[in-house]
Amino acid sequence: IEVEVKRYKSCLRRMFEKEGQSVLFLETAVHFSRRPHASVDVVPIPLGSESEARMCFKEVGQGKGYGYG
């Protein structure tokens, strides 16, 4: 599954680049009584603003107690 997810993300990056945008991926994983669940949210952002967007999401997430890498 990991290879497929990486391939999918790569395709999304190329698609958004053609539109003059970059993309930010937000991954969430939780466990519901032996049934793990994961989701990946895709947020289009302006090209060149990746590091600023990453920093903002990380700062807000840490303030709310979430772990962002």
Side-chain angles (χ1 to χ4, degrees), residues 30-48:
V30 294
H31 292 277
F32 293 115
S33 306
R34 297 185 186 180
R35 293 186 178 171
H37 180 77
S39 67
V40 178
D41 293 305
V42 181
V43 181
I45 58 175
L47 277 174

Side-chain angles (χ1 to χ4, degrees), residues 1-48:
I1 290 177
E2 185 178 343
V3 172
E4 292 171 358
V5 171
K6 285 182 179 183
R7 189 178 305 140
Y8 184 64
K9 285 180 175 182
S10 179
C11 289
L12 286 171
R13 282 187 192 97
R14 285 195 308 271
M15 181 188 78
F16 281 106
E17 283 176 4
K18 288 179 182 179
E19 299 295 323
Q21 295 180 315
S22 188
V23 65
L24 186 68
F25 296 102
L26 305 169
E27 300 180 27
T28 305
V30 294
H31 292 277
F32 293 115
S33 306
R34 297 185 186 180
R35 293 186 178 171
H37 180 77
S39 67
V40 178
D41 293 305
V42 181
V43 181
I45 58 175
L47 277 174

